[in-house]
Amino acid sequence: MSSVSPNVYQLVFLGPPGCGKGTQASYLKKELNYRHIATGDLLRHEIANKTPLGLNVQSIMAEGRLVSDEIVIELLENHCDLAKGPYLFDGFPRTEVQAKMLQEKIIKDAAVLAIEFKIDTNILIERIVNRRTCSQCGTIYNIKFKPSKNQDKCDQCQSLLVQREDDKEDVVTKRIQVYNENMGPVLSYYKNLGLLRQVDASLLGDTVFESIKQMFE
Ligand code: AMP
């Protein structure tokens, strides 16, 4: 049986906050040269730089609600060029409109797989409230399951680890609720195109990565 090179596929990660998309993205980036594009990161960057767009979305994000389709689609178009290599879309699409736009404006006739990260909500909340992120390089830790060696410092770059404002429990609950409300039509969209795959995201990161690689074969 001939195996297909993973780089033939553009990948779309679909999963609630805390399901491990970011961790898998870092493996794909390192091992398979994927370009990781996360709309949440792009939006946080706009907020950090106090751009008009950032100021516009700040309170929406702080409450765990979705930013408008127009804003995220435009942001994505400005930061993504498929000619540069295979992309991994993380946190996008979150609505059916976004899924259609991604296909029509960006993916076009390139091959794509959508991977749904399936996981129990209680595991998610525990993962997210204990999540800490490096303020400089973005490396993700978990104070319970994957702590850094040096308390609140990043193992990679020694910068301070912080908790995202929207990783606090009340906002997390809201974000998961928003995810569950919106993702049905997105999952159906990819399912109807025969492009949806699923992975058990409660397993260890390495195991999840092996499952993802098997999807390319
Ligand atoms: P994330 O880092 O993916 O969990 O996203 C953090 C927040 O950014 C979300 O709670 C939304 O407020 C906003 N956001 C990120 N991606 C999108 C998207 N594709 N559509 C709408 N809002 C988004």
Side-chain angles (χ1 to χ4, degrees):
M1 192 180 79
S2 68
S3 80
V4 183
S5 158
N7 291 356
V8 168
Y9 292 104
Q10 310 298 322
L11 291 181
V12 175
F13 276 3
L14 304 172
C19 69
K21 300 189 298 288
T23 304
Q24 294 305 316
S26 65
Y27 293 156
L28 279 149
K29 202 168 150 181
K30 207 161 141 196
E31 278 201 29
L32 300 172
N33 275 327
Y34 270 87
R35 302 173 85 85
H36 176 209
I37 189 151
T39 40
D41 289 344
L42 296 179
L43 290 163
R44 281 185 285 279
H45 185 73
E46 296 286 327
I47 292 175
N49 287 328
K50 298 191 167 46
T51 65
L53 191 156
L55 294 172
N56 191 358
V57 300
Q58 194 162 18
S59 61
I60 298 174
M61 285 178 69
E63 289 166 22
R65 292 185 290 127
L66 289 187
V67 171
S68 78
D69 290 333
E70 293 72 28
I71 289 181
V72 276
I73 289 165
E74 194 184 336
L75 198 59
L76 195 72
E77 280 188 297
N78 291 341
H79 286 86
C80 168
D81 174 7
L82 254 55
K84 288 187 178 160
Y87 271 83
L88 156 58
F89 299 94
D90 170 1
F92 187 98
R94 268 175 154 99
T95 65
E96 193 180 4
V97 171
Q98 292 180 15
K100 287 184 177 155
M101 285 299 147
L102 177 63
Q103 204 62 31
E104 285 164 18
K105 292 190 170 192
I106 296 172
I107 302 225
K108 296 178 184 158
D109 50 6
V112 58
L113 280 183
I115 303 177
E116 181 190 5
F117 287 60
K118 290 188 76 78
I119 188 163
D120 184 87
T121 303
N122 293 329
I123 304 180
L124 280 182
I125 294 180
E126 177 150 44
R127 274 194 193 172
I128 308 182
V129 296
N130 290 314
R131 176 160 74 180
R132 297 293 180 272
T133 310
C134 173
S135 51
Q136 283 304 314
C137 71
T139 302
I140 299 164
Y141 298 87
N142 183 295
I143 49 178
K144 247 177 151 172
F145 310 119
K146 190 192 157 209
S148 66
K149 291 194 192 81
N150 190 355
Q151 282 204 350
D152 54 357
K153 299 266 169 58
C154 176
D155 292 340
Q156 314 291 331
C157 68
Q158 309 308 315
S159 302
L160 193 66
L161 303 182
V162 291
Q163 182 178 37
R164 274 169 47 179
E165 270 308 306
D166 60 353
D167 275 355
K168 297 187 176 151
E169 191 160 350
D170 51 338
V171 185
V172 167
T173 311
K174 173 74 182 170
R175 288 165 63 206
I176 293 171
Q177 181 201 332
V178 168
Y179 174 84
N180 289 333
E181 281 168 6
N182 288 285
M183 283 315 274
V186 177
L187 295 169
S188 302
Y189 174 82
Y190 287 110
K191 193 171 176 195
N192 293 338
L193 292 174
L195 300 172
L196 186 66
R197 306 287 182 274
Q198 289 174 331
V199 74
D200 179 352
S202 64
L203 300 173
L204 287 175
D206 290 353
T207 315
V208 175
F209 188 47
E210 286 309 311
S211 311
I212 291 177
K213 283 197 285 190
Q214 280 170 17
M215 291 174 194
F216 299 140
E217 286 168 6

